[in-house]
Amino acid sequence: MGAINIEDLQAGMVLADDVLTREGRTLLRKGNQITQKHINIFKAWGVTEADINGVTKEDAIASAISRFDTRIYQDAEQAIESIFAHTDKNHPFVSELLRLCIFRDAEKRQDAEK
């Protein structure tokens, strides 16, 4: 269990803790199964993470990567890492930003090939 980035959430996951807005308003209670509609609502309210039952951050990242064709993901990774060449990739913020940029680039590349 752990906080999973909103970009890595998938329909069918079950919440381990309540999802709250920045102001503390409850959007969805723990124990509920997440739908795509819930994910869209979380994004609209600026929620960045959610605690999920039985899923670690590493599991969520691996699952998100598996959505892409290997070649497309590697091309995106190479292109984006060149942009981040002079940054400290060990810094948690930079590391997460790099990961999200690679995912976004891979999504665009995958959509372009459809």
Side-chain angles (χ1 to χ4, degrees), residues 20-85:
L20 307 173
T21 65
R22 291 182 198 157
E23 296 79 25
R25 181 179 180 179
T26 302
L27 294 178
L28 192 63
R29 298 250 180 233
K30 68 180 179 182
N32 280 299
Q33 191 171 28
I34 298 171
T35 65
Q36 187 59 47
K37 185 177 179 180
H38 293 132
I39 296 169
N40 294 341
I41 291 170
F42 298 160
K43 289 179 180 178
W45 279 92
V47 173
T48 59
E49 295 180 329
D51 284 331
I52 303 297
N53 273 334
V55 179
T56 65
K57 185 173 185 171
E58 292 75 22
D59 293 339
I61 291 170
S63 176
I65 290 172
S66 70
R67 296 187 315 229
F68 301 109
D69 177 87
T70 304
R71 179 189 51 79
I72 289 173
Y73 187 81
Q74 288 173 342
D75 289 348
E77 191 173 41
Q78 185 176 13
I80 299 301
E81 284 197 2
S82 69
I83 295 170
F84 282 73

Short mmCIF file of all heavy atoms in Angstrom, two decimals, residues 20-85:
data_model
loop_
_atom_site.label_atom_id
_atom_site.label_comp_id
_atom_site.label_asym_id
_atom_site.label_seq_id
_atom_site.Cartn_x
_atom_site.Cartn_y
_atom_site.Cartn_z
N LEU A 20 -9.09 13.12 -0.41
CA LEU A 20 -9.52 14.44 0.03
C LEU A 20 -9.00 15.52 -0.92
O LEU A 20 -7.95 15.36 -1.54
CB LEU A 20 -8.96 14.72 1.43
CG LEU A 20 -9.22 13.69 2.51
CD1 LEU A 20 -8.46 14.06 3.78
CD2 LEU A 20 -10.71 13.56 2.79
N THR A 21 -9.74 16.63 -0.98
CA THR A 21 -9.25 17.79 -1.71
C THR A 21 -8.21 18.48 -0.83
O THR A 21 -8.04 18.12 0.34
CB THR A 21 -10.38 18.79 -2.00
OG1 THR A 21 -10.86 19.31 -0.76
CG2 THR A 21 -11.50 18.13 -2.79
N ARG A 22 -7.56 19.50 -1.37
CA ARG A 22 -6.58 20.26 -0.59
C ARG A 22 -7.23 20.94 0.61
O ARG A 22 -6.58 21.19 1.62
CB ARG A 22 -5.93 21.32 -1.46
CG ARG A 22 -5.04 20.75 -2.50
CD ARG A 22 -4.39 21.84 -3.31
NE ARG A 22 -3.89 21.25 -4.53
CZ ARG A 22 -3.66 21.91 -5.64
NH1 ARG A 22 -3.87 23.19 -5.69
NH2 ARG A 22 -3.23 21.30 -6.70
N GLU A 23 -8.52 21.22 0.50
CA GLU A 23 -9.25 21.88 1.58
C GLU A 23 -9.80 20.88 2.60
O GLU A 23 -10.43 21.27 3.57
CB GLU A 23 -10.40 22.72 1.01
CG GLU A 23 -9.95 23.86 0.13
CD GLU A 23 -9.57 23.43 -1.29
OE1 GLU A 23 -10.06 22.39 -1.76
OE2 GLU A 23 -8.74 24.14 -1.90
N GLY A 24 -9.58 19.58 2.35
CA GLY A 24 -10.04 18.56 3.29
C GLY A 24 -11.40 17.98 2.99
O GLY A 24 -11.93 17.17 3.75
N ARG A 25 -12.00 18.37 1.88
CA ARG A 25 -13.31 17.84 1.50
C ARG A 25 -13.14 16.43 0.96
O ARG A 25 -12.28 16.16 0.12
CB ARG A 25 -13.91 18.74 0.42
CG ARG A 25 -15.26 18.32 -0.05
CD ARG A 25 -15.77 19.28 -1.08
NE ARG A 25 -17.07 18.88 -1.52
CZ ARG A 25 -17.77 19.54 -2.39
NH1 ARG A 25 -17.31 20.68 -2.89
NH2 ARG A 25 -18.94 19.11 -2.75
N THR A 26 -13.96 15.50 1.45
CA THR A 26 -13.88 14.11 1.02
C THR A 26 -14.51 13.94 -0.36
O THR A 26 -15.66 14.30 -0.56
CB THR A 26 -14.60 13.19 2.03
OG1 THR A 26 -14.00 13.37 3.32
CG2 THR A 26 -14.49 11.74 1.62
N LEU A 27 -13.73 13.38 -1.28
CA LEU A 27 -14.24 13.09 -2.62
C LEU A 27 -14.72 11.65 -2.73
O LEU A 27 -15.71 11.38 -3.41
CB LEU A 27 -13.17 13.35 -3.67
CG LEU A 27 -12.71 14.80 -3.82
CD1 LEU A 27 -11.61 14.90 -4.87
CD2 LEU A 27 -13.89 15.69 -4.20
N LEU A 28 -13.99 10.72 -2.09
CA LEU A 28 -14.36 9.31 -2.13
C LEU A 28 -13.79 8.61 -0.91
O LEU A 28 -12.63 8.85 -0.54
CB LEU A 28 -13.82 8.66 -3.42
CG LEU A 28 -14.36 7.28 -3.78
CD1 LEU A 28 -15.88 7.33 -4.03
CD2 LEU A 28 -13.66 6.74 -5.03
N ARG A 29 -14.58 7.80 -0.25
CA ARG A 29 -14.17 7.11 0.98
C ARG A 29 -13.36 5.85 0.68
O ARG A 29 -13.53 5.23 -0.38
CB ARG A 29 -15.41 6.72 1.79
CG ARG A 29 -16.22 7.91 2.25
CD ARG A 29 -16.09 8.04 3.73
NE ARG A 29 -16.87 9.20 4.15
CZ ARG A 29 -16.36 10.16 4.89
NH1 ARG A 29 -15.12 10.10 5.30
NH2 ARG A 29 -17.10 11.19 5.24
N LYS A 30 -12.50 5.49 1.65
CA LYS A 30 -11.70 4.28 1.52
C LYS A 30 -12.62 3.06 1.36
O LYS A 30 -13.75 3.06 1.85
CB LYS A 30 -10.76 4.10 2.70
CG LYS A 30 -11.44 3.79 4.01
CD LYS A 30 -10.38 3.64 5.08
CE LYS A 30 -11.03 3.36 6.43
NZ LYS A 30 -10.04 3.24 7.50
N GLY A 31 -12.09 2.06 0.64
CA GLY A 31 -12.87 0.85 0.40
C GLY A 31 -13.62 0.87 -0.92
O GLY A 31 -14.07 -0.17 -1.39
N ASN A 32 -13.77 2.06 -1.52
CA ASN A 32 -14.48 2.15 -2.79
C ASN A 32 -13.57 1.75 -3.95
O ASN A 32 -12.37 2.00 -3.93
CB ASN A 32 -14.98 3.58 -3.04
CG ASN A 32 -16.24 3.86 -2.28
OD1 ASN A 32 -17.26 3.21 -2.49
ND2 ASN A 32 -16.17 4.81 -1.36
N GLN A 33 -14.18 1.14 -4.95
CA GLN A 33 -13.46 0.79 -6.17
C GLN A 33 -13.48 2.01 -7.10
O GLN A 33 -14.54 2.61 -7.33
CB GLN A 33 -14.12 -0.41 -6.85
CG GLN A 33 -13.30 -0.99 -7.96
CD GLN A 33 -13.90 -2.29 -8.46
OE1 GLN A 33 -15.10 -2.53 -8.39
NE2 GLN A 33 -13.04 -3.16 -8.97
N ILE A 34 -12.31 2.35 -7.62
CA ILE A 34 -12.17 3.54 -8.45
C ILE A 34 -12.66 3.26 -9.87
O ILE A 34 -12.39 2.21 -10.44
CB ILE A 34 -10.70 3.99 -8.52
CG1 ILE A 34 -10.19 4.35 -7.13
CG2 ILE A 34 -10.51 5.17 -9.45
CD1 ILE A 34 -8.69 4.60 -7.09
N THR A 35 -13.39 4.23 -10.44
CA THR A 35 -13.78 4.17 -11.84
C THR A 35 -13.04 5.29 -12.59
O THR A 35 -12.43 6.16 -11.96
CB THR A 35 -15.30 4.40 -12.01
OG1 THR A 35 -15.60 5.74 -11.58
CG2 THR A 35 -16.10 3.40 -11.19
N GLN A 36 -13.12 5.26 -13.91
CA GLN A 36 -12.50 6.34 -14.70
C GLN A 36 -13.13 7.69 -14.35
O GLN A 36 -12.45 8.71 -14.32
CB GLN A 36 -12.61 6.05 -16.20
CG GLN A 36 -11.83 7.05 -17.05
CD GLN A 36 -10.34 7.07 -16.71
OE1 GLN A 36 -9.69 6.03 -16.60
NE2 GLN A 36 -9.77 8.27 -16.55
N LYS A 37 -14.42 7.69 -14.07
CA LYS A 37 -15.11 8.93 -13.69
C LYS A 37 -14.50 9.49 -12.40
O LYS A 37 -14.29 10.70 -12.29
CB LYS A 37 -16.60 8.66 -13.50
CG LYS A 37 -17.41 9.90 -13.22
CD LYS A 37 -18.89 9.56 -13.13
CE LYS A 37 -19.69 10.81 -12.83
NZ LYS A 37 -21.13 10.51 -12.73
N HIS A 38 -14.20 8.62 -11.43
CA HIS A 38 -13.57 9.08 -10.18
C HIS A 38 -12.20 9.71 -10.47
O HIS A 38 -11.87 10.76 -9.93
CB HIS A 38 -13.37 7.91 -9.19
CG HIS A 38 -14.64 7.35 -8.66
ND1 HIS A 38 -14.89 6.00 -8.65
CD2 HIS A 38 -15.74 7.93 -8.13
CE1 HIS A 38 -16.08 5.77 -8.12
NE2 HIS A 38 -16.62 6.94 -7.80
N ILE A 39 -11.41 9.05 -11.34
CA ILE A 39 -10.09 9.57 -11.67
C ILE A 39 -10.21 10.96 -12.28
O ILE A 39 -9.46 11.87 -11.94
CB ILE A 39 -9.34 8.58 -12.60
CG1 ILE A 39 -9.09 7.26 -11.87
CG2 ILE A 39 -8.02 9.19 -13.11
CD1 ILE A 39 -8.59 6.13 -12.76
N ASN A 40 -11.17 11.14 -13.17
CA ASN A 40 -11.38 12.45 -13.80
C ASN A 40 -11.77 13.50 -12.75
O ASN A 40 -11.31 14.65 -12.81
CB ASN A 40 -12.45 12.37 -14.88
CG ASN A 40 -12.00 11.50 -16.06
OD1 ASN A 40 -10.82 11.25 -16.25
ND2 ASN A 40 -12.96 11.02 -16.82
N ILE A 41 -12.59 13.12 -11.79
CA ILE A 41 -13.01 14.04 -10.72
C ILE A 41 -11.80 14.39 -9.84
O ILE A 41 -11.61 15.56 -9.48
CB ILE A 41 -14.16 13.44 -9.88
CG1 ILE A 41 -15.43 13.37 -10.73
CG2 ILE A 41 -14.37 14.23 -8.60
CD1 ILE A 41 -16.56 12.58 -10.11
N PHE A 42 -10.98 13.41 -9.51
CA PHE A 42 -9.77 13.67 -8.71
C PHE A 42 -8.90 14.70 -9.42
O PHE A 42 -8.39 15.63 -8.81
CB PHE A 42 -8.95 12.40 -8.47
CG PHE A 42 -9.65 11.31 -7.69
CD1 PHE A 42 -9.20 10.00 -7.76
CD2 PHE A 42 -10.77 11.58 -6.92
CE1 PHE A 42 -9.83 8.99 -7.05
CE2 PHE A 42 -11.42 10.57 -6.21
CZ PHE A 42 -10.95 9.28 -6.28
N LYS A 43 -8.70 14.51 -10.73
CA LYS A 43 -7.86 15.44 -11.49
C LYS A 43 -8.47 16.83 -11.49
O LYS A 43 -7.76 17.83 -11.34
CB LYS A 43 -7.68 14.94 -12.93
CG LYS A 43 -6.79 13.73 -13.03
CD LYS A 43 -6.66 13.26 -14.47
CE LYS A 43 -5.76 12.04 -14.57
NZ LYS A 43 -5.67 11.53 -15.95
N ALA A 44 -9.79 16.91 -11.66
CA ALA A 44 -10.47 18.21 -11.68
C ALA A 44 -10.31 18.95 -10.35
O ALA A 44 -10.24 20.18 -10.32
CB ALA A 44 -11.94 18.02 -12.01
N TRP A 45 -10.22 18.20 -9.25
CA TRP A 45 -10.08 18.81 -7.92
C TRP A 45 -8.62 18.97 -7.52
O TRP A 45 -8.32 19.38 -6.41
CB TRP A 45 -10.82 17.97 -6.88
CG TRP A 45 -12.28 18.26 -6.86
CD1 TRP A 45 -13.25 17.63 -7.56
CD2 TRP A 45 -12.93 19.30 -6.13
NE1 TRP A 45 -14.46 18.20 -7.32
CE2 TRP A 45 -14.30 19.22 -6.43
CE3 TRP A 45 -12.50 20.29 -5.24
CZ2 TRP A 45 -15.23 20.10 -5.89
CZ3 TRP A 45 -13.43 21.15 -4.69
CH2 TRP A 45 -14.77 21.05 -5.01
N GLY A 46 -7.70 18.64 -8.38
CA GLY A 46 -6.28 18.84 -8.10
C GLY A 46 -5.66 17.81 -7.19
O GLY A 46 -4.59 18.02 -6.63
N VAL A 47 -6.31 16.65 -7.07
CA VAL A 47 -5.75 15.56 -6.27
C VAL A 47 -4.55 15.00 -7.04
O VAL A 47 -4.65 14.77 -8.25
CB VAL A 47 -6.80 14.46 -6.02
CG1 VAL A 47 -6.19 13.25 -5.34
CG2 VAL A 47 -7.96 15.01 -5.21
N THR A 48 -3.43 14.81 -6.36
CA THR A 48 -2.23 14.33 -7.04
C THR A 48 -1.89 12.88 -6.71
O THR A 48 -1.17 12.23 -7.46
CB THR A 48 -1.01 15.20 -6.68
OG1 THR A 48 -0.81 15.18 -5.27
CG2 THR A 48 -1.21 16.63 -7.16
N GLU A 49 -2.39 12.36 -5.58
CA GLU A 49 -2.08 10.99 -5.18
C GLU A 49 -3.28 10.36 -4.47
O GLU A 49 -4.14 11.07 -3.96
CB GLU A 49 -0.91 10.96 -4.20
CG GLU A 49 0.40 11.43 -4.77
CD GLU A 49 1.53 11.38 -3.75
OE1 GLU A 49 1.27 11.55 -2.54
OE2 GLU A 49 2.66 11.15 -4.17
N ALA A 50 -3.28 9.03 -4.45
CA ALA A 50 -4.30 8.29 -3.70
C ALA A 50 -3.66 7.03 -3.14
O ALA A 50 -2.79 6.44 -3.78
CB ALA A 50 -5.47 7.94 -4.60
N ASP A 51 -4.07 6.64 -1.93
CA ASP A 51 -3.60 5.39 -1.34
C ASP A 51 -4.46 4.25 -1.85
O ASP A 51 -5.68 4.29 -1.75
CB ASP A 51 -3.69 5.45 0.19
CG ASP A 51 -2.59 6.29 0.80
OD1 ASP A 51 -1.51 6.37 0.20
OD2 ASP A 51 -2.82 6.87 1.88
N ILE A 52 -3.79 3.22 -2.37
CA ILE A 52 -4.48 2.11 -3.00
C ILE A 52 -4.15 0.81 -2.26
O ILE A 52 -3.00 0.56 -1.92
CB ILE A 52 -4.06 1.98 -4.48
CG1 ILE A 52 -4.33 3.28 -5.22
CG2 ILE A 52 -4.74 0.80 -5.15
CD1 ILE A 52 -5.78 3.68 -5.29
N ASN A 53 -5.18 -0.03 -2.04
CA ASN A 53 -4.97 -1.33 -1.40
C ASN A 53 -4.17 -2.26 -2.28
O ASN A 53 -4.47 -2.42 -3.47
CB ASN A 53 -6.33 -2.00 -1.11
CG ASN A 53 -6.92 -1.59 0.19
OD1 ASN A 53 -6.21 -1.19 1.12
ND2 ASN A 53 -8.23 -1.65 0.28
N GLY A 54 -3.14 -2.87 -1.70
CA GLY A 54 -2.41 -3.93 -2.37
C GLY A 54 -1.56 -3.53 -3.55
O GLY A 54 -1.12 -4.39 -4.30
N VAL A 55 -1.34 -2.24 -3.74
CA VAL A 55 -0.53 -1.78 -4.87
C VAL A 55 0.55 -0.85 -4.35
O VAL A 55 0.25 0.12 -3.66
CB VAL A 55 -1.39 -1.03 -5.91
CG1 VAL A 55 -0.53 -0.53 -7.06
CG2 VAL A 55 -2.51 -1.91 -6.41
N THR A 56 1.81 -1.18 -4.67
CA THR A 56 2.90 -0.28 -4.31
C THR A 56 3.13 0.70 -5.45
O THR A 56 2.64 0.49 -6.57
CB THR A 56 4.21 -1.05 -4.07
OG1 THR A 56 4.62 -1.65 -5.31
CG2 THR A 56 4.03 -2.11 -3.00
N LYS A 57 3.87 1.74 -5.16
CA LYS A 57 4.19 2.72 -6.20
C LYS A 57 4.92 2.05 -7.36
O LYS A 57 4.64 2.32 -8.52
CB LYS A 57 5.05 3.84 -5.60
CG LYS A 57 5.32 4.96 -6.55
CD LYS A 57 6.03 6.10 -5.86
CE LYS A 57 6.19 7.27 -6.82
NZ LYS A 57 6.67 8.47 -6.17
N GLU A 58 5.82 1.11 -7.03
CA GLU A 58 6.58 0.40 -8.06
C GLU A 58 5.66 -0.45 -8.93
O GLU A 58 5.83 -0.52 -10.15
CB GLU A 58 7.68 -0.46 -7.43
CG GLU A 58 8.79 0.33 -6.77
CD GLU A 58 8.41 0.96 -5.42
OE1 GLU A 58 7.44 0.48 -4.78
OE2 GLU A 58 9.06 1.93 -5.04
N ASP A 59 4.66 -1.11 -8.30
CA ASP A 59 3.69 -1.91 -9.06
C ASP A 59 2.91 -1.02 -10.04
O ASP A 59 2.69 -1.39 -11.19
CB ASP A 59 2.67 -2.58 -8.13
CG ASP A 59 3.28 -3.64 -7.23
OD1 ASP A 59 4.36 -4.15 -7.57
OD2 ASP A 59 2.65 -3.95 -6.20
N ALA A 60 2.50 0.14 -9.56
CA ALA A 60 1.71 1.05 -10.39
C ALA A 60 2.54 1.56 -11.57
O ALA A 60 2.03 1.66 -12.68
CB ALA A 60 1.20 2.22 -9.54
N ILE A 61 3.80 1.87 -11.30
CA ILE A 61 4.67 2.37 -12.38
C ILE A 61 4.89 1.26 -13.42
O ILE A 61 4.79 1.50 -14.62
CB ILE A 61 6.00 2.88 -11.81
CG1 ILE A 61 5.76 4.15 -11.00
CG2 ILE A 61 7.02 3.12 -12.92
CD1 ILE A 61 6.97 4.61 -10.19
N ALA A 62 5.17 0.05 -12.95
CA ALA A 62 5.39 -1.07 -13.87
C ALA A 62 4.14 -1.33 -14.71
O ALA A 62 4.22 -1.59 -15.91
CB ALA A 62 5.79 -2.32 -13.10
N SER A 63 2.98 -1.25 -14.07
CA SER A 63 1.73 -1.46 -14.80
C SER A 63 1.52 -0.36 -15.84
O SER A 63 1.08 -0.64 -16.96
CB SER A 63 0.56 -1.48 -13.81
OG SER A 63 -0.66 -1.59 -14.49
N ALA A 64 1.84 0.88 -15.47
CA ALA A 64 1.68 2.00 -16.41
C ALA A 64 2.61 1.84 -17.60
O ALA A 64 2.21 2.09 -18.75
CB ALA A 64 1.93 3.32 -15.69
N ILE A 65 3.84 1.41 -17.36
CA ILE A 65 4.80 1.23 -18.46
C ILE A 65 4.33 0.11 -19.39
O ILE A 65 4.49 0.21 -20.61
CB ILE A 65 6.21 0.92 -17.90
CG1 ILE A 65 6.78 2.17 -17.23
CG2 ILE A 65 7.15 0.43 -18.99
CD1 ILE A 65 8.08 1.93 -16.48
N SER A 66 3.70 -0.92 -18.83
CA SER A 66 3.29 -2.06 -19.65
C SER A 66 2.19 -1.69 -20.66
O SER A 66 1.92 -2.46 -21.58
CB SER A 66 2.82 -3.22 -18.77
OG SER A 66 1.60 -2.91 -18.14
N ARG A 67 1.57 -0.53 -20.49
CA ARG A 67 0.52 -0.09 -21.43
C ARG A 67 1.11 0.30 -22.77
O ARG A 67 0.40 0.40 -23.76
CB ARG A 67 -0.25 1.11 -20.88
CG ARG A 67 -1.02 0.84 -19.63
CD ARG A 67 -1.89 2.01 -19.25
NE ARG A 67 -1.19 3.28 -19.35
CZ ARG A 67 -1.17 4.20 -18.41
NH1 ARG A 67 -1.84 4.01 -17.30
NH2 ARG A 67 -0.53 5.32 -18.58
N PHE A 68 2.42 0.57 -22.80
CA PHE A 68 3.05 1.08 -24.01
C PHE A 68 3.79 -0.02 -24.76
O PHE A 68 4.31 -0.95 -24.15
CB PHE A 68 4.07 2.19 -23.66
CG PHE A 68 3.46 3.35 -22.94
CD1 PHE A 68 3.72 3.57 -21.60
CD2 PHE A 68 2.62 4.23 -23.61
CE1 PHE A 68 3.16 4.63 -20.94
CE2 PHE A 68 2.05 5.30 -22.94
CZ PHE A 68 2.31 5.51 -21.61
N ASP A 69 3.87 0.15 -26.07
CA ASP A 69 4.76 -0.67 -26.88
C ASP A 69 6.18 -0.40 -26.40
O ASP A 69 6.55 0.75 -26.14
CB ASP A 69 4.59 -0.27 -28.35
CG ASP A 69 5.54 -1.02 -29.24
OD1 ASP A 69 5.17 -2.13 -29.67
OD2 ASP A 69 6.64 -0.48 -29.50
N THR A 70 6.99 -1.45 -26.26
CA THR A 70 8.35 -1.29 -25.72
C THR A 70 9.17 -0.28 -26.52
O THR A 70 9.85 0.57 -25.95
CB THR A 70 9.07 -2.65 -25.71
OG1 THR A 70 8.28 -3.58 -24.95
CG2 THR A 70 10.45 -2.54 -25.09
N ARG A 71 9.10 -0.35 -27.85
CA ARG A 71 9.87 0.56 -28.70
C ARG A 71 9.42 2.00 -28.49
O ARG A 71 10.25 2.91 -28.36
CB ARG A 71 9.71 0.17 -30.18
CG ARG A 71 10.46 1.09 -31.13
CD ARG A 71 10.10 0.81 -32.58
NE ARG A 71 8.68 0.79 -32.86
CZ ARG A 71 7.92 1.88 -33.01
NH1 ARG A 71 8.44 3.07 -32.91
NH2 ARG A 71 6.64 1.77 -33.26
N ILE A 72 8.13 2.22 -28.40
CA ILE A 72 7.61 3.58 -28.20
C ILE A 72 8.08 4.12 -26.85
O ILE A 72 8.52 5.27 -26.76
CB ILE A 72 6.07 3.58 -28.31
CG1 ILE A 72 5.65 3.36 -29.75
CG2 ILE A 72 5.49 4.86 -27.74
CD1 ILE A 72 4.16 3.17 -29.95
N TYR A 73 8.01 3.30 -25.81
CA TYR A 73 8.42 3.77 -24.49
C TYR A 73 9.92 4.08 -24.47
O TYR A 73 10.34 5.11 -23.93
CB TYR A 73 8.09 2.74 -23.40
CG TYR A 73 8.36 3.28 -22.03
CD1 TYR A 73 7.44 4.11 -21.41
CD2 TYR A 73 9.55 3.01 -21.38
CE1 TYR A 73 7.70 4.66 -20.17
CE2 TYR A 73 9.82 3.55 -20.13
CZ TYR A 73 8.88 4.36 -19.54
OH TYR A 73 9.15 4.91 -18.30
N GLN A 74 10.71 3.22 -25.09
CA GLN A 74 12.16 3.46 -25.12
C GLN A 74 12.50 4.72 -25.91
O GLN A 74 13.40 5.48 -25.53
CB GLN A 74 12.89 2.24 -25.70
CG GLN A 74 12.89 1.07 -24.75
CD GLN A 74 13.47 -0.20 -25.37
OE1 GLN A 74 13.58 -0.31 -26.59
NE2 GLN A 74 13.83 -1.15 -24.52
N ASP A 75 11.81 4.96 -27.04
CA ASP A 75 12.03 6.18 -27.81
C ASP A 75 11.69 7.42 -26.99
O ASP A 75 12.43 8.41 -26.99
CB ASP A 75 11.20 6.18 -29.10
CG ASP A 75 11.71 5.17 -30.12
OD1 ASP A 75 12.83 4.65 -29.94
OD2 ASP A 75 10.96 4.91 -31.09
N ALA A 76 10.57 7.35 -26.28
CA ALA A 76 10.16 8.48 -25.43
C ALA A 76 11.16 8.70 -24.31
O ALA A 76 11.55 9.84 -24.01
CB ALA A 76 8.76 8.22 -24.86
N GLU A 77 11.59 7.60 -23.70
CA GLU A 77 12.56 7.69 -22.61
C GLU A 77 13.86 8.35 -23.08
O GLU A 77 14.39 9.25 -22.41
CB GLU A 77 12.83 6.28 -22.08
CG GLU A 77 13.60 6.21 -20.80
CD GLU A 77 13.67 4.78 -20.29
OE1 GLU A 77 13.87 3.83 -21.09
OE2 GLU A 77 13.51 4.60 -19.08
N GLN A 78 14.34 7.95 -24.24
CA GLN A 78 15.58 8.50 -24.78
C GLN A 78 15.42 9.99 -25.10
O GLN A 78 16.29 10.80 -24.76
CB GLN A 78 15.99 7.73 -26.03
CG GLN A 78 17.32 8.15 -26.59
CD GLN A 78 17.71 7.28 -27.79
OE1 GLN A 78 16.91 6.55 -28.34
NE2 GLN A 78 18.96 7.37 -28.17
N ALA A 79 14.30 10.36 -25.71
CA ALA A 79 14.08 11.76 -26.08
C ALA A 79 13.97 12.65 -24.85
O ALA A 79 14.57 13.72 -24.79
CB ALA A 79 12.82 11.87 -26.93
N ILE A 80 13.22 12.21 -23.86
CA ILE A 80 13.00 13.05 -22.67
C ILE A 80 14.24 13.08 -21.78
O ILE A 80 14.58 14.12 -21.23
CB ILE A 80 11.77 12.56 -21.88
CG1 ILE A 80 10.51 12.65 -22.76
CG2 ILE A 80 11.60 13.35 -20.60
CD1 ILE A 80 10.18 14.05 -23.26
N GLU A 81 14.94 11.97 -21.66
CA GLU A 81 16.14 11.98 -20.83
C GLU A 81 17.21 12.92 -21.38
O GLU A 81 17.98 13.49 -20.62
CB GLU A 81 16.69 10.56 -20.65
CG GLU A 81 15.86 9.78 -19.64
CD GLU A 81 16.57 8.54 -19.12
OE1 GLU A 81 17.71 8.29 -19.51
OE2 GLU A 81 15.94 7.83 -18.32
N SER A 82 17.22 13.11 -22.70
CA SER A 82 18.19 14.06 -23.26
C SER A 82 17.85 15.49 -22.83
O SER A 82 18.74 16.32 -22.64
CB SER A 82 18.24 13.95 -24.78
OG SER A 82 17.04 14.42 -25.35
N ILE A 83 16.58 15.78 -22.64
CA ILE A 83 16.16 17.11 -22.17
C ILE A 83 16.58 17.31 -20.71
O ILE A 83 16.93 18.40 -20.29
CB ILE A 83 14.63 17.28 -22.34
CG1 ILE A 83 14.27 17.25 -23.83
CG2 ILE A 83 14.15 18.57 -21.68
CD1 ILE A 83 12.79 17.17 -24.10
N PHE A 84 16.56 16.23 -19.94
CA PHE A 84 16.89 16.29 -18.51
C PHE A 84 18.38 15.96 -18.27
O PHE A 84 18.76 15.68 -17.13
CB PHE A 84 16.03 15.29 -17.73
CG PHE A 84 14.63 15.75 -17.48
CD1 PHE A 84 13.70 15.80 -18.48
CD2 PHE A 84 14.24 16.14 -16.20
CE1 PHE A 84 12.41 16.22 -18.26
CE2 PHE A 84 12.95 16.56 -15.96
CZ PHE A 84 12.03 16.60 -16.99
N ALA A 85 19.19 16.01 -19.30
CA ALA A 85 20.59 15.58 -19.20
C ALA A 85 21.37 16.32 -18.11
O ALA A 85 22.24 15.73 -17.47
CB ALA A 85 21.28 15.75 -20.54
#
